[in-house]
C-alpha cells in the first residue's frame, strides 16, 4: 500500500445482527488486514447514534461533521 491512510468508508450491519459482535469483528479484521496503515478514516450518518458511539469506543476520534455525516479518524502506532 502506497499510502498509510485507509478510508474504510461505511460498514453496514443489519439490525438482526446488532449486539452479536459482528461490528467489532469486522473492524478488527479490517485493521488486521492492513498492518501497514497508520490511520483509518470512516464516516457514518449523523442520525446513527449507535454507530457513532461504537466508533468512539473503538478509539476513533471525530474529526468533522456536516449536516449529514460524522467523520472519524483513528491513528495507530506500529
Amino acid at each position: 500500500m502506497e499510502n498509510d491512510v485507509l478510508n474504510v468508508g461505511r460498514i453496514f450491519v443489519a439490525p438482526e445482527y446488532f449486539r452479536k459482535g459482528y461490528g467489532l469483528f469486522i473492524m478488527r479484521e479490517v485493521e488486521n488486514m492492513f498492518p501497514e496503515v497508520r490511520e483509518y478514516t470512516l464516516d457514518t450518518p449523523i442520525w446513527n447514534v449507535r454507530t457513532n458511539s461504537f466508533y468512539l469506543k473503538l478509539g476513533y476520534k471525530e474529526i468533522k461533521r456536516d449536516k449529514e455525516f460524522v467523520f472519524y479518524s483513528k491513528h495507530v502506532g506500529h
Side-chain angles (χ1 to χ4, degrees):
M1 177 175 263
E2 292 179 24
N3 196 334
D4 60 357
V5 177
L6 176 69
N7 181 18
V8 177
R10 291 181 205 117
I11 293 176
F12 174 78
V13 176
E16 62 267 23
Y17 298 106
F18 287 174
R19 299 197 171 281
K20 296 186 178 178
Y22 290 104
L24 183 58
F25 175 80
I26 291 167
M27 293 305 294
R28 285 185 178 154
E29 285 299 305
V30 167
E31 291 178 6
N32 288 333
M33 287 173 60
F34 302 97
E36 70 280 5
V37 170
R38 301 285 185 249
E39 179 183 9
Y40 296 92
T41 61
L42 52 84
D43 61 76
T44 192
I46 200 164
W47 55 261
N48 194 335
V49 176
R50 179 187 302 254
T51 303
N52 283 287
S53 273
F54 175 69
Y55 291 139
L56 292 172
K57 287 179 185 176
L58 291 177
Y60 286 80
K61 302 222 182 303
E62 181 179 327
I63 56 171
K64 177 180 145 185
R65 74 172 51 211
D66 60 23
K67 292 179 183 178
E68 297 182 29
F69 296 97
V70 182
F71 300 85
Y72 292 94
S73 173
K74 180 178 179 180
H75 293 269
V76 292
H78 295 283

